[in-house]
């Protein structure tokens, strides 16, 4: 055998030895592999899920996706959004069951098909007919539905409609859909009084929050802080412009937003903390200092003992009150303060 041929044969043998000795990521100890997967961002986890069935079963685990869900969506996703998701997947399951005979894509392949191509790769090893389904109730499925904007969810928007002067320092319920191209949201607001459904685009993250209470936005909040309110306390109060009645049963629909204000002093008090007794009075003064002095929106009073909803058709109706104790909530309102005093 010639020297050149022997050299070529030796290289082939060495290549085969290296190939046989190459280590797969699946050969790593379970704890090491789990530590690697925990450090992957969502895009990389999706890519790994498309490599093979073994990695797919690991990468779709709620254990990994719960952290990503909390980190990105935890601040604006509340119980109401979760219930909406449960209704969404229940409806989708019924629809899918009616299309089983039509060869529709299912599970993981259906969900990944709506994700940007760079997020995942198809396996070159597995038979394409052996597709592992992704449970609709998995956190990964919910995360991808949010991330792609296919799922509309309930949340609240500060200063709705691009900071419209009529909604400054308020927070209203809306349905939201995420736009991954702009990293902003589209908001759909329910009818407000006689106003039709309003749509706002490019809503940034900093103007969103999860509803503070797990109740319907149509419900009057029952205040539990009235007895402890003192001048200087930061509060949110439900307010609606007027009362509307549906044509059929004539039952009032409560559609209100939350408005930021502070507890003020009674007119008889000079504001000196050493002598102030406002907290002993049944009358509580609420101040909305975003409005100019003398504005009819600047001050309102409620009865500490009997308050449920107070107001009139001219000045609107004041509903439930929540005292703000969280500094992050308070700083959010102050950051949204209008650049000019409102009339």
């Amino acid at each position: 055998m010639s020297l050149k041929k022997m050299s070529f044969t030796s290289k082939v043998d060495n290549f085969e030895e290296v190939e046989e000795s190459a280590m797969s990521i699946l050969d790593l100890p379970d704890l090491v592999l789990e530590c690697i997967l925990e450090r992957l961002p969502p895009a990389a986890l999706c890519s790994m899920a498309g490599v093979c069935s073994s990695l797919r079963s690991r990468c779709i685990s709620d254990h990994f996706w719960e952290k990503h869900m909390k980190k990105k969506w935890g601040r604006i996703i509340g119980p109401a959004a979760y219930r909406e998701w449960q209704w969404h997947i229940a409806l989708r399951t019924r629809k899918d069951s009616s299309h089983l005979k039509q060869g529709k894509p299912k599970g993981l392949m259906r969900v990944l098909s709506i994700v940007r191509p760079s997020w995942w790769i198809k396996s070159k090893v597995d038979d394409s007919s052996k597709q592992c389904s992704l449970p609709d109730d998995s956190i990964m499925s919910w995360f991808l539905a949010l991330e792609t904007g296919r799922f509309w969810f309930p949340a609240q928007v500060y200063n709705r409609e691009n900071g419209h002067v009529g909604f400054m320092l308020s927070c209203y319920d809306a349905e939201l859909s995420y736009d991954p191209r702009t990293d902003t949201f589209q908001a759909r607001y329910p009818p407000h009084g006689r106003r039709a459904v309003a749509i706002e685009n490019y809503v940034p993250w900093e103007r969103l929050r999860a509803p503070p209470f797990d109740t319907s936005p149509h419900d009057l909040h029952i205040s539990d802080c009235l007895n402890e309110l003192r001048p200087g306390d930061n509060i949110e109060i439900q307010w609606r412009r007027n009362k509307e009645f549906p044509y059929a049963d004539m039952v009032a629909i409560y559609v209100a937003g939350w408005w930021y204000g502070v507890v003020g002093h009674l007119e008889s008090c000079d504001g000196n903390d050493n002598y102030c007794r406002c907290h002993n009075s049944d009358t509580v003064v609420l101040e909305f200092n975003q409005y100019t002095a003398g504005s009819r929106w600047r001050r309102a009073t409620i009865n500490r003992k009997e308050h449920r909803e107070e107001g009139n058709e001219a000045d609107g109706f004041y509903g439930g009150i929540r005292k703000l104790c969280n500094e992050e909530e308070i700083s959010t309102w102050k950051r949204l303060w209008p650049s000019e005093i409102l009339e």
Side-chain angles (χ1 to χ4, degrees):
M1 182 181 294
S2 67
L3 183 60
K4 182 181 291 187
K5 189 172 182 179
M6 289 178 62
S7 176
F8 175 77
T9 303
S10 176
K11 290 180 179 179
V12 172
D13 292 341
N14 290 338
F15 176 78
E16 290 176 349
E17 290 177 4
V18 171
E19 188 178 44
E20 290 175 358
S21 62
M23 186 177 185
S24 165
I25 189 174
L26 295 175
D27 295 327
L28 294 172
D30 288 345
L31 183 58
V32 175
L33 179 55
E34 182 173 325
C35 288
I36 293 174
L37 296 179
E38 280 184 340
R39 287 165 171 75
L40 293 180
L45 266 181
C46 285
S47 295
M48 292 289 280
V51 171
C52 65
S53 59
S54 180
L55 282 174
R56 178 159 52 245
S57 63
R58 293 174 181 267
C59 292
I60 68 176
S61 170
D62 286 351
H63 170 70
F64 299 120
W65 288 95
E66 185 175 9
K67 177 187 67 174
H68 295 303
M69 176 66 79
K70 183 177 181 179
K71 180 179 180 181
K72 182 164 186 177
W73 297 97
R75 190 178 63 82
I76 65 174
I77 292 292
Y82 179 73
R83 285 195 300 273
E84 189 71 23
W85 171 246
Q86 295 299 308
W87 295 332
H88 176 79
I89 60 177
L91 178 61
R92 189 168 66 183
T93 299
R94 288 197 294 270
K95 287 183 177 180
D96 286 349
S97 63
S98 66
H99 291 93
L100 286 178
K101 297 181 180 181
Q102 301 180 22
K104 298 283 185 179
K106 301 188 300 179
L108 181 64
M109 292 302 116
R110 183 185 66 244
V111 174
L112 292 182
S113 67
I114 63 177
V115 185
R116 285 169 287 181
S118 60
W119 275 47
W120 68 292
I121 58 175
K122 293 181 179 179
S123 171
K124 296 181 180 180
V125 180
D126 289 351
D127 183 351
S128 61
S129 64
K130 298 178 181 179
Q131 297 177 355
C132 180
S133 64
L134 173 65
D136 281 335
D137 60 352
S138 69
I139 297 179
M140 178 183 177
S141 180
W142 189 17
F143 183 96
L144 295 181
L146 288 166
E147 189 72 20
T148 55
R150 297 295 183 93
F151 173 61
W152 289 79
F153 63 95
Q156 292 183 343
V157 183
Y158 293 99
N159 293 356
R160 59 177 281 182
E161 299 179 42
N162 295 305
H164 186 285
V165 67
F167 297 104
M168 291 300 293
L169 290 190
S170 69
C171 198
Y172 275 78
D173 288 88
E175 287 187 326
L176 299 171
S177 173
Y178 179 63
D179 183 354
R181 297 168 300 175
T182 61
D183 192 29
T184 60
F185 295 81
Q186 183 182 59
R188 295 191 304 217
Y189 302 101
H192 178 73
R194 298 183 183 278
R195 295 168 59 94
V197 174
I199 297 177
E200 180 182 354
N201 296 310
Y202 309 115
V203 180
W205 286 85
E206 55 267 24
R207 283 178 49 212
L208 303 178
R209 74 175 185 183
F213 299 105
D214 185 23
T215 57
S216 168
H218 304 295
D219 294 339
L220 172 66
H221 173 65
I222 304 303
S223 309
D224 58 2
C225 63
L226 298 179
N227 290 330
E228 61 186 72
L229 292 179
R230 307 173 66 96
D233 285 344
N234 296 269
I235 58 99
E236 290 180 14
I237 185 168
Q238 286 177 309
W239 181 86
R240 57 173 170 166
R241 187 69 183 83
N242 49 40
K243 293 184 176 181
E244 295 289 338
F245 295 88
Y247 181 77
D249 55 11
M250 297 299 287
V251 176
I253 297 179
Y254 197 91
V255 181
W258 289 95
W259 293 73
Y260 173 73
V262 295
V263 178
H265 292 274
L266 297 170
E267 291 185 0
S268 58
C269 178
D270 62 3
N272 188 321
D273 291 339
N274 294 323
Y275 302 100
C276 177
R277 295 293 180 268
C278 295
H279 58 280
N280 294 326
S281 172
D282 289 346
T283 300
V284 179
V285 175
L286 305 178
E287 295 183 342
F288 305 94
N289 295 322
Q290 65 269 36
Y291 293 98
T292 185
S295 169
R296 62 173 176 158
W297 309 113
R298 175 75 176 224
R299 288 166 62 93
T301 59
I302 62 167
N303 186 291
R304 191 189 300 270
K305 293 183 176 180
E306 301 176 357
H307 174 70
R308 283 186 58 82
E309 184 182 34
E310 298 179 29
N312 53 60
E313 293 291 338
D315 298 329
F317 296 85
Y318 296 88
I321 298 176
R322 60 183 296 253
K323 179 180 176 180
L324 300 180
C325 300
N326 186 302
E327 288 299 325
E328 184 177 352
E329 281 190 293
I330 297 172
S331 63
T332 296
W333 282 113
K334 292 182 176 180
R335 176 174 49 80
L336 295 168
W337 199 271
S339 57
E340 298 181 357
I341 298 298
L342 307 176
E343 295 295 331

